[in-house]
């Protein structure tokens, strides 16, 4: 388990959910992992879970909406470990039910864009000089399947995550010659210990009927893709937006209904 041996990784928003899964698998693959977020107790618990398994990790406070906090995270990581090889931009304001266009206020819109696009942009901006000096690196943005198509709600969130998709491609294009790769992972429905009780069963049923494998996603599904993108195995892979959703977005929208009818067509 040494696919990330001797690499230093920052995983933002890694005090819960998908971020924890990514951080734990990175550490199991040999990376030194910086756990960061606003909740110190939860962050330290993740660190403890990693060190208990023989991995190396540390906690650093970070508020994705505060530029000075992002600057300090990157700077302190380099001072502690000497470099940053991997940056995973996972921290975001989910806000899945932010509303329709007519329901949204400018404050709601700006708040989601501040964390989901502005924060991701600034973290990339801050890490680029260090990765360039170090001879390269891998940046992984966590997007969302919300950016795959229009929806009845979650307008600001979907638009923000679409921005992350394009930020990924622009970063990959502009810094590929410096050996800095940038990719985006768009999770499907990921059920975590934190959100499972809050996801209505009717929603789970709708998703499961349209997922092409026989289960919901879990944090490790996203972590497995991130390990590949962070490792040297993917050195020819950049500028890509990869949807990890069990095949949810790989078919026409009527498939779920036709499955119920046990029919292939009308």
């Amino acid at each position: 388990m040494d696919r990330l041996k001797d690499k230093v990784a920052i995983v933002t928003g890694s005090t819960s959910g998908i971020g924890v899964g990514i951080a734990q698998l990175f550490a199991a693959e040999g990376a030194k992992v910086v756990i960061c977020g606003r909740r110190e107790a939860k962050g330290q618990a993740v660190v403890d879970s990693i060190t208990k398994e023989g991995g190396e990790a540390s906690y650093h406070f970070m508020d994705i909406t505060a530029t000075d906090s992002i600057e300090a995270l990157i700077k302190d990581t380099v001072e502690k470990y000497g470099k940053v090889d991997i940056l995973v931009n996972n921290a975001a304001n989910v806000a899945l039910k932010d509303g329709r266009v007519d329901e949204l206020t400018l404050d709601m819109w700006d708040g989601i864009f501040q964390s989901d696009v502005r924060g991701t942009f600034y973290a990339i901006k801050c890490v680029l000089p260090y990765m360039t000096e170090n001879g390269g690196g891998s940046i992984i943005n966590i997007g969302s399947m919300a950016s795959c198509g229009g929806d009845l709600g979650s307008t600001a969130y979907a638009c923000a995550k679409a921005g992350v998709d394009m930020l990924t491609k622009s970063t990959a294009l502009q810094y590929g010659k410096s050996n800095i790769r940038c990719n985006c992972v768009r999770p499907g429905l990921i059920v975590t210990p934190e959100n499972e009780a809050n996801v209505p069963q009717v929603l789970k049923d709708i998703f499961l009927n349209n997922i092409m494998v026989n289960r919901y996603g879990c944090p490790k599904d996203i972590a497995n893709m991130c390990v590949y993108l962070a490792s040297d195995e993917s050195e020819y892979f950049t500028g890509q937006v990869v949807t990890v959703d069990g095949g949810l977005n790989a078919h026409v929208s009527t498939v779920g209904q036709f499955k119920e009818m046990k029919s292939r067509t009308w």
Side-chain angles (χ1 to χ4, degrees):
M1 301 289 286
D2 60 357
R3 296 164 73 191
L4 304 180
K5 185 178 180 181
D6 299 326
K7 294 185 183 294
V8 176
I10 296 173
V11 183
T12 70
S14 48
T15 60
S16 63
I18 291 173
V20 174
I22 296 171
Q24 290 176 333
L25 192 56
F26 275 17
E29 291 287 355
K32 300 177 180 67
V33 185
V34 178
I35 308 301
C36 51
R38 293 178 295 185
R39 298 172 291 183
E40 182 176 358
K42 285 184 174 291
Q44 190 57 51
V46 178
V47 171
D48 293 344
S49 72
I50 288 172
T51 55
K52 182 179 179 181
E53 297 297 321
E56 185 172 348
S58 60
Y59 170 77
H60 196 293
F61 174 85
M62 187 211 65
D63 179 351
I64 194 63
T65 66
T67 55
D68 58 345
S69 178
I70 296 171
E71 291 171 4
L73 167 67
I74 306 296
K75 182 172 179 282
D76 293 348
T77 297
V78 173
E79 289 181 355
K80 181 178 179 66
Y81 295 109
K83 61 177 181 174
V84 178
D85 298 293
I86 304 157
L87 170 65
V88 180
N89 285 307
N90 173 67
N93 180 358
V94 178
L96 287 175
K97 297 182 180 179
D98 58 65
R100 306 189 320 175
V101 172
D102 63 300
E103 297 168 336
L104 285 169
T105 66
L106 282 176
D107 286 343
M108 293 167 65
W109 178 274
D110 291 344
I112 292 170
F113 268 72
Q114 183 180 34
S115 63
D116 292 18
V117 180
R118 187 174 185 264
T120 297
F121 156 75
Y122 200 69
I124 293 173
K125 181 178 176 67
C126 288
V127 83
L128 282 172
Y130 296 106
M131 285 188 171
T132 300
E133 183 179 354
N134 192 45
S138 176
I139 299 170
I140 304 167
N141 298 323
I142 303 301
S144 172
M145 66 174 183
S147 66
C148 293
D151 202 351
L152 297 175
S154 61
T155 308
Y157 177 73
C159 290
K161 286 302 187 179
V164 171
D165 292 351
M166 190 52 63
L167 176 60
T168 297
K169 293 178 180 291
S170 296
T171 303
L173 169 66
Q174 295 165 14
Y175 300 97
K177 297 300 183 183
S178 298
N179 200 33
I180 297 172
R181 296 180 294 107
C182 187
N183 294 286
C184 178
V185 178
R186 293 194 300 206
L189 177 64
I190 305 299
V191 177
T192 71
E194 292 83 7
N195 73 10
E196 185 166 12
N198 297 322
V199 180
Q201 187 60 46
V202 64
L203 183 61
K204 291 180 181 178
D205 292 342
I206 291 171
F207 272 82
L208 191 58
N209 194 34
N210 285 280
I211 291 171
M212 296 298 101
V213 297
N214 294 318
R215 63 175 177 84
Y216 312 112
C218 65
K220 192 172 182 181
D221 293 316
I222 307 306
N224 282 328
M225 176 58 71
C226 288
V227 166
Y228 168 70
L229 296 175
S231 74
D232 294 338
E233 299 165 17
S234 60
E235 64 179 8
Y236 200 60
F237 195 97
T238 192
Q240 302 304 306
V241 179
V242 184
T243 305
V244 182
D245 64 356
L248 178 64
N249 286 283
H251 58 77
V252 296
S253 58
T254 53
V255 164
Q257 288 73 25
F258 283 135
K259 283 172 60 182
E260 289 182 345
M261 295 168 56
K262 301 187 185 309
S263 173
R264 287 180 294 176
T265 183
W266 57 273

